[in-house]
Amino acid sequence: MNITALVENKSDGNFNPKHGLSLYIETEEHKILFDLGPDGTLFENSRKAGIDLRHVDTVIISHGHSDHGGALKQFLEINHKAKVYVQRKAFEKHYSKFLFLKVNVGLDKKLAGHEQIVLVDGDYKIDEKLFLFTVKSSPKYYSTVNDALYTVNGKDDFTHEQNLIISGEKNVLIMGCGHSGVATILGETEKYHPEVCIGGYHLFNPISKKGVSDSLLEQIAKDMSRYDIKFYTCHCTGEYAYQYLEKHLCEMHYLSCGTTISI
């Protein structure tokens, strides 16, 4: 299994960085895009990587925010075969609040009825190797950075967020922003015994430039240290939080745009 970060906040130097996430995952059975990033950055970087997105057969959009699914319309214009798995609630309205201003950060609702879109309600088995799951328990070590995110009904509860388990010689957990909490998500996946975990932890607000407290990072690091897992983080974790976790965990790495890891 090879995993390439095509959209990510930081670059290895050759690719265009962008606030958002898109991972290209190639297995023996599938060519997968986990998230699509916010805009055309996905297509620019895929050309640089020599990856033909027309051959992608499976797309997973982790949740209903535009930095993870903003390029959906453009993708559907070039790829006419991939199934796109999205939680039904992801197409509801979503906002980010700063001071007294709420900004729309949702997906294009007009695309929800597209023939390639598969609307999912909760957990979903794509096939024997790919399984989507949502978090049903209360967040463990809740990230206060989530307080800026809303739906039409108030504070976002992130029931529109889904994560991916890829079964193989080594089981791999992929998450987008981990709004439900990386510790909570890891608890939900214990039965799958993942050996690799890739994704953001949403511990930094790029607008306010504020992150979570050291005391919360300490709790998260202590919980993560219980697992024999190789961690790759990215996107919304934040530089300070990453450095803190990297100091306290034996296997914590950063996955920047343009980087490929083999599992």
Side-chain angles (χ1 to χ4, degrees):
M1 185 190 310
N2 291 320
I3 301 175
T4 301
L6 290 179
V7 180
E8 209 280 314
N9 300 35
K10 297 170 61 176
S11 173
D12 67 355
N14 298 315
F15 287 63
N16 300 329
K18 192 76 174 186
H19 179 83
L21 185 66
S22 181
L23 304 176
Y24 174 74
I25 306 166
E26 191 163 330
T27 71
E28 291 182 358
E29 295 88 3
H30 290 289
K31 291 180 172 63
I32 303 164
L33 278 177
F34 186 92
D35 286 337
L36 299 170
D39 55 23
T41 304
L42 168 65
F43 309 100
E44 297 169 17
N45 287 339
S46 65
R47 285 192 289 271
K48 291 183 178 182
I51 295 171
D52 190 341
L53 299 182
R54 294 174 298 178
H55 298 318
V56 168
D57 57 74
T58 304
V59 175
I60 291 113
I61 296 180
S62 62
H63 60 294
H65 292 164
S66 57
D67 54 335
H68 294 258
L72 178 57
K73 184 176 185 292
Q74 289 172 269
F75 176 81
L76 293 171
E77 289 171 352
I78 67 160
N79 182 305
H80 307 294
K81 70 174 186 176
K83 294 293 185 184
V84 181
Y85 297 89
V86 192
Q87 287 290 317
R88 189 181 304 274
K89 290 184 177 181
F91 281 104
E92 295 176 356
K93 292 182 178 180
H94 295 93
Y95 305 95
S96 178
K97 186 178 180 181
F98 181 65
L99 299 177
F100 302 104
L101 180 67
K102 280 187 181 179
V103 178
N104 177 23
V105 295
L107 304 178
D108 185 350
K109 191 173 182 179
K110 296 191 295 292
L111 298 174
H114 193 282
E115 61 183 6
Q116 288 171 250
I117 301 292
V118 180
L119 295 176
V120 178
D121 297 295
D123 297 351
Y124 188 87
K125 182 178 180 181
I126 297 175
D127 59 26
E128 293 302 317
K129 296 294 181 71
L130 305 178
F131 179 70
L132 300 172
F133 71 95
T134 57
V135 170
K136 299 158 192 70
S137 55
S138 299
K140 190 177 182 182
Y141 311 131
Y142 174 79
S143 172
T144 51
V145 177
N146 285 329
D147 289 341
L149 298 169
Y150 287 78
T151 68
V152 292
N153 298 316
K155 289 280 186 72
D156 201 327
D157 62 4
F158 306 108
T159 52
H160 57 101
E161 183 176 61
Q162 60 186 359
N163 309 281
L164 172 66
I165 287 286
I166 306 175
S167 298
E169 187 174 332
K170 291 183 178 180
N171 291 347
V172 179
L173 164 62
I174 311 283
M175 63 180 77
C177 274
H179 288 291
S180 302
V182 59
T184 316
I185 294 168
L186 287 171
E188 294 272 345
T189 60
E190 285 184 358
K191 59 185 175 183
Y192 300 105
H193 306 291
E195 295 183 54
V196 180
C197 173
I198 302 170
Y201 307 151
H202 203 69
L203 301 174
F204 179 76
N205 185 325
I207 298 175
S208 68
K209 307 299 182 185
K210 293 181 179 179
V212 300
S213 66
D214 281 9
S215 60
L216 181 59
L217 289 174
E218 181 182 5
Q219 291 175 309
I220 293 170
K222 185 177 181 180
D223 192 280
M224 293 175 72
S225 68
R226 300 188 298 112
Y227 299 94
D228 185 17
I229 292 177
K230 191 169 189 176
F231 293 101
Y232 293 89
T233 196
C234 53
H235 177 46
C236 55
T237 299
E239 187 65 28
Y240 180 83
Y242 165 68
Q243 290 178 359
Y244 185 100
L245 295 173
E246 194 265 341
K247 287 179 182 177
H248 290 81
L249 296 168
C250 295
E251 287 283 4
M252 172 59 69
H253 310 274
Y254 198 92
L255 181 61
S256 58
C257 187
T259 301
T260 298
I261 57 175
S262 297
I263 298 169

mmCIF file of all heavy atoms in Angstrom, residues 65 91 117 185 209:
data_model
loop_
_atom_site.group_PDB
_atom_site.id
_atom_site.type_symbol
_atom_site.label_atom_id
_atom_site.label_comp_id
_atom_site.label_asym_id
_atom_site.label_seq_id
_atom_site.Cartn_x
_atom_site.Cartn_y
_atom_site.Cartn_z
ATOM 1 N N HIS A 65 -16.824 19.636 5.388
ATOM 2 C CA HIS A 65 -16.134 20.914 5.318
ATOM 3 C C HIS A 65 -15.413 21.056 3.983
ATOM 4 O O HIS A 65 -14.831 20.092 3.473
ATOM 5 C CB HIS A 65 -15.144 21.054 6.474
ATOM 6 C CG HIS A 65 -15.805 21.180 7.807
ATOM 7 N ND1 HIS A 65 -15.130 21.004 8.998
ATOM 8 C CD2 HIS A 65 -17.087 21.484 8.148
ATOM 9 C CE1 HIS A 65 -15.963 21.189 10.013
ATOM 10 N NE2 HIS A 65 -17.154 21.478 9.514
ATOM 11 N N PHE A 91 -23.733 16.995 3.779
ATOM 12 C CA PHE A 91 -24.257 17.980 2.836
ATOM 13 C C PHE A 91 -25.179 19.002 3.504
ATOM 14 O O PHE A 91 -25.745 19.855 2.828
ATOM 15 C CB PHE A 91 -24.970 17.285 1.677
ATOM 16 C CG PHE A 91 -24.025 16.736 0.647
ATOM 17 C CD1 PHE A 91 -23.762 15.382 0.579
ATOM 18 C CD2 PHE A 91 -23.385 17.583 -0.250
ATOM 19 C CE1 PHE A 91 -22.891 14.874 -0.372
ATOM 20 C CE2 PHE A 91 -22.508 17.087 -1.205
ATOM 21 C CZ PHE A 91 -22.259 15.728 -1.261
ATOM 22 N N ILE A 117 -22.416 9.745 -6.254
ATOM 23 C CA ILE A 117 -22.405 9.946 -4.804
ATOM 24 C C ILE A 117 -23.173 8.830 -4.101
ATOM 25 O O ILE A 117 -24.309 8.512 -4.472
ATOM 26 C CB ILE A 117 -23.022 11.308 -4.431
ATOM 27 C CG1 ILE A 117 -22.253 12.452 -5.090
ATOM 28 C CG2 ILE A 117 -23.049 11.475 -2.907
ATOM 29 C CD1 ILE A 117 -20.870 12.658 -4.574
ATOM 30 N N ILE A 185 -11.477 8.198 18.567
ATOM 31 C CA ILE A 185 -11.445 7.403 17.339
ATOM 32 C C ILE A 185 -10.586 6.162 17.521
ATOM 33 O O ILE A 185 -10.960 5.058 17.093
ATOM 34 C CB ILE A 185 -10.943 8.267 16.164
ATOM 35 C CG1 ILE A 185 -11.953 9.381 15.867
ATOM 36 C CG2 ILE A 185 -10.724 7.419 14.910
ATOM 37 C CD1 ILE A 185 -11.448 10.461 14.930
ATOM 38 N N LYS A 209 -5.479 31.444 15.083
ATOM 39 C CA LYS A 209 -4.085 31.080 15.372
ATOM 40 C C LYS A 209 -3.909 30.563 16.803
ATOM 41 O O LYS A 209 -2.829 30.645 17.385
ATOM 42 C CB LYS A 209 -3.133 32.267 15.151
ATOM 43 C CG LYS A 209 -3.247 32.925 13.781
ATOM 44 C CD LYS A 209 -2.925 31.967 12.657
ATOM 45 C CE LYS A 209 -2.993 32.655 11.307
ATOM 46 N NZ LYS A 209 -2.790 31.724 10.180
#
